[in-house]
Amino acid sequence: PKTAKITAFHEAGHALVAVLSDGASPIHKATIMPRGSALGMVTMLPDGDQTSQSLKEMLAFMDVAMGGRVAEELIFGQENVTSGASSDIMSATRTARAMVTKYGFSEEVGIVYHGGNTGEESASGATRAKIDSEVQKLTEGSYKRAKELLSKHSKEHHLLAETLLEFETLTGDEVRDIIHKRKKPNRPIVNTEGGARGDRSVLNKPSKSQEVKSKFPGLGKVAGSRRDNATTD
């Protein structure tokens, strides 16, 4: 089915960028099994409790978020990109805006703290425009880095998407083996019809030993997901 194929390439895009980006948290599992409004997801777990994030880690998080949208564009063409990446774009934009307005990671805006959810509380019109420009620079930079990785590693991307269609859920180790060694899992194929059904093991919650605490949204949770936004298209 078309939806399963798009979801497989979308999630494979997230996963490949995560594995190949310095600073990204390790992948825990990847799935194309629908859950709620999410048609698939890639979950990542940082090593141990994490209460802060470096600049490198924030940029990697944004790159991973952009991986799904970029994957759809490269595989299906820009005119066929879906609305499924909306939550990914939102996550990347929120991270970029926090970098500019809360963490002092913009030379143009400076090492200052701007209040409010959007970081524009009490800011002048000129400052707001500068903040928006810097946020866009960050998100566009992540988009370009994700596109470079997916273009360079096209064979691995296709293989990973194909394997997701066959097995529906993959562990982090299986994802890494596919990307680094082009080695598929040594277990029975779950789906032979090209759809997403059957194995829901990836949806099990992590054990207590795997749970992590973080004050950053997205860490230890869903790193990227393709959502059904048909009602808002």
Side-chain angles (χ1 to χ4, degrees):
K2 181 180 178 181
T3 298
K5 184 177 181 180
I6 295 174
T7 301
F9 276 100
H10 181 107
E11 301 307 332
H14 285 307
L16 185 141
V17 175
V19 170
L20 299 179
S21 293
D22 186 23
S25 296
I27 290 179
H28 174 58
K29 285 185 179 179
T31 183
I32 58 169
M33 290 297 297
R35 185 184 190 187
S37 63
L39 300 177
M41 65 184 71
V42 174
T43 55
M44 299 162 70
L45 297 174
D47 296 324
D49 290 352
Q50 187 167 1
T51 57
S52 64
Q53 243 183 333
S54 67
L55 171 61
K56 179 172 68 174
E57 290 168 336
M58 291 182 191
L59 290 173
F61 177 81
M62 291 170 58
D63 293 358
V64 174
M66 290 294 182
R69 164 64 180 260
V70 171
E72 289 189 28
E73 183 177 318
L74 290 175
I75 300 302
F76 304 104
Q78 190 169 18
E79 69 277 9
N80 294 314
V81 170
T82 72
S83 59
S86 61
S87 63
D88 300 327
I89 296 172
M90 178 180 67
S91 294
T93 303
R94 283 180 173 175
T95 299
R97 189 166 292 276
M99 290 169 67
V100 173
T101 63
K102 312 296 185 187
Y103 308 138
F105 288 145
S106 167
E107 292 184 5
E108 289 294 321
V109 175
I111 305 177
V112 294
Y113 180 93
H114 289 278
N117 292 332
T118 62
E120 297 181 350
E121 185 179 273
S122 301
S124 66
T127 298
R128 292 184 180 189
K130 190 178 293 185
I131 289 171
D132 290 343
S133 177
E134 288 296 283
V135 169
Q136 186 173 355
K137 284 181 184 178
L138 286 170
T139 56
E140 288 181 350
S142 285
Y143 175 89
K144 290 177 181 178
R145 287 190 296 274
K147 192 169 186 177
E148 288 174 2
L149 278 177
L150 285 163
S151 297
K152 181 178 179 179
H153 299 277
S154 177
K155 291 183 179 179
E156 290 83 355
H157 181 212
H158 278 78
L159 180 62
L160 183 56
E162 173 189 309
T163 309
L164 273 171
L165 282 170
E166 292 174 344
F167 292 89
E168 299 183 344
T169 64
L170 298 170
T171 67
D173 287 337
E174 288 173 340
V175 170
R176 287 181 282 274
D177 279 346
I178 292 166
I179 293 173
H180 291 309
K181 304 175 183 178
R182 298 189 184 179
K183 176 185 177 183
K184 289 189 176 184
N186 183 23
R187 55 186 173 91
I189 291 175
V190 173
N191 171 37
T192 59
E193 300 178 15
R197 60 182 68 82
D199 185 3
R200 301 186 66 83
S201 62
V202 75
L203 304 182
N204 293 335
K205 293 183 179 180
S207 64
K208 288 294 183 180
S209 63
Q210 293 173 314
E211 289 181 353
V212 291
K213 297 178 181 179
S214 172
K215 66 179 181 181
F216 291 94
L219 284 178
K221 297 182 181 179
V222 179
S225 65
R226 179 169 183 265
R227 295 185 177 275
D228 183 2
N229 294 322
T231 58
T232 60
D233 286 355

